[in-house]
């Protein structure tokens, strides 16, 4: 039995691909299979489109990021509710509420094999929540399912020659994402630098992958080779 925590970026809920219900069906089947194997799963869902829309609508009126963050958090909780309801409807044993803190999530994971949550408090993103959840639940690793194939040393949209990495140490990832500071509400780097600093301290393995390809989430959860970036204390071994 293992505990695994995954951050699922909110953009995955509204993929540009046409058959988005296939992605959701795949996710449900991955969750079902892991629960059948006796694993415990914590899923932390990002805000995606509703977070971006809500924040950009009021940004001209609200100067303080603390308040904009609260809009982002509400969007993450909306998305977590969407996934929770779908998982519950599929007959999988999942916690009945969306916890609002990592402590609450850890307690729920002791009672139910699946806990689904969004953000907690202003000042970071759901990546940092997932990494804290993974550390507090003593999870084997934390999967960060986002919308890039691997971690690049620079933004590949800006530099087509940017180099991608299959293995990184926490320190190397920290150099790429920068210091542990909260970026503006709704803005994000490949992984939240606040979470990276905590993963480094706790030596928590991170698996960063393109969650739009559900098979990669499955492979990372099963512990097999997956296409993406493994971040560990040792780097490549
Ligand atoms: P996300 O976790 O979705 O951030 O939270 P993101 O990385 O920008 O987006 P995706 O989903 O990976 O594409 C959305 C926003 O909600 C606030 C932050 O402003 C964040 O940018 N937030 C979220 C918090 O303030 N605290 C939390 O615990 C979570």
């Amino acid at each position: 039995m293992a505990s695994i925590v995954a951050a699922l970026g909110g953009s995955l809920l509204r993929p540009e691909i046409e058959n988005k219900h296939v992605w959701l069906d795949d996710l449900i089947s991955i969750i079902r299979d892991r629960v059948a194997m006796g694993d415990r799963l914590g899923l932390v869902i990002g805000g995606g489109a509703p977070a971006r829309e809500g924040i950009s609508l009021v940004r001209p009126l609200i100067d303080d990021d603390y308040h904009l963050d609260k809009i982002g958090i509400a969007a993450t909780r909306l998305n977590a509710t969407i996934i929770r309801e779908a998982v519950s409807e599929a007959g999988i044993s999942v916690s009945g509420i969306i916890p609002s803190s990592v402590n609450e999530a850890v307690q729920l994971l002791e009672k139910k094999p699946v806990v689904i949550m969004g953000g907690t408090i202003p000042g970071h993103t759901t990546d940092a929540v997932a990494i804290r959840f993974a550390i507090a639940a003593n999870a084997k690793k934390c999967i960060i399912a986002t919308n890039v194939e691997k971690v690049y040393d620079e933004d590949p949209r800006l530099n087509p020659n940017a180099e991608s990495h299959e293995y990184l140490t926490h320190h190397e990832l920290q150099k790429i994402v920068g210091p542990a500071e909260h970026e503006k509400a709704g803005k994000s780097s490949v992984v939240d630098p606040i979470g990276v600093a905590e993963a480094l301290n706790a030596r928590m393995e991170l698996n960063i992958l393109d969650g739009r390809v559900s098979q990669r989430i499955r492979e990372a959860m099963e512990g097999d080779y997956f296409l993406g970036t493994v971040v560990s204390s040792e780097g490549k071994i």
Side-chain angles (χ1 to χ4, degrees):
M1 188 194 98
S3 296
I4 297 169
V5 175
L8 303 180
S11 58
L12 301 174
L13 270 72
R14 286 159 181 80
E16 289 77 43
I17 52 171
E18 272 170 32
N19 45 1
K20 42 186 162 258
H21 293 107
V22 174
W23 183 87
L24 200 49
D25 271 347
D26 287 351
L27 179 70
I28 288 168
S29 116
I30 294 167
I31 297 170
R32 192 196 305 286
D33 292 350
R34 292 327 304 161
V35 171
M37 295 304 290
D39 285 354
R40 304 192 91 75
L41 292 184
L43 302 179
V44 185
I45 317 298
R52 274 194 304 277
E53 281 164 18
I55 290 170
S56 69
L57 179 66
V58 288
R59 194 183 278 289
L61 310 178
I62 300 181
D63 200 29
D64 185 349
D65 266 324
Y66 178 88
H67 297 290
L68 296 173
D69 279 352
K70 291 213 275 190
I71 296 166
I73 293 168
T76 65
R77 293 179 63 83
L78 164 69
N79 285 341
T81 304
I82 293 168
I83 304 277
R84 202 214 74 81
E85 293 305 320
V87 168
S88 170
E89 188 62 26
I92 297 168
S93 177
V94 52
S95 81
I97 55 159
I98 306 291
S100 42
S101 73
V102 166
N103 277 349
E104 195 186 357
V106 173
Q107 281 168 17
L108 288 169
L109 197 59
E110 282 164 15
K111 298 191 195 101
K112 291 279 182 184
V114 183
V115 172
I116 300 177
M117 71 185 297
T120 53
I121 53 169
H124 50 247
T125 74
T126 44
D127 292 347
V129 174
I131 290 167
R132 279 180 196 152
F133 188 1
I135 295 167
N138 217 1
K140 206 163 71 173
K141 59 179 162 183
C142 183
I143 295 169
I144 308 281
T146 179
N147 55 9
V148 288
E149 197 157 82
K150 288 179 193 169
V151 176
Y152 286 81
D153 50 6
E154 282 177 68
D155 187 337
R157 286 167 303 185
L158 305 176
N159 178 2
N161 298 321
E163 200 190 325
S164 68
H165 299 274
E166 279 193 21
Y167 298 94
L168 286 172
T169 63
H170 293 104
H171 281 290
E172 287 166 340
L173 179 61
Q174 202 170 39
K175 271 196 207 125
I176 293 172
V177 298
E181 285 160 12
H182 184 41
E183 293 164 75
K184 277 201 152 329
K187 281 255 156 44
S188 64
S189 58
V190 60
V191 192
D192 186 339
I194 295 175
V196 172
E198 295 189 19
L200 181 142
N201 287 336
R203 304 168 73 85
M204 174 56 65
E205 178 179 317
L206 306 178
N207 290 179
I208 300 158
L209 51 83
D210 187 346
R212 292 171 298 186
V213 187
S214 54
Q215 183 63 15
R216 296 188 191 157
I217 301 177
R218 180 183 285 282
E219 286 163 356
M221 285 198 177
E222 288 174 355
D224 290 340
Y225 173 83
F226 68 94
L227 188 71
T229 304
V230 178
V231 183
S232 64
S233 307
E234 300 82 23
K236 186 168 181 163
I237 39 171

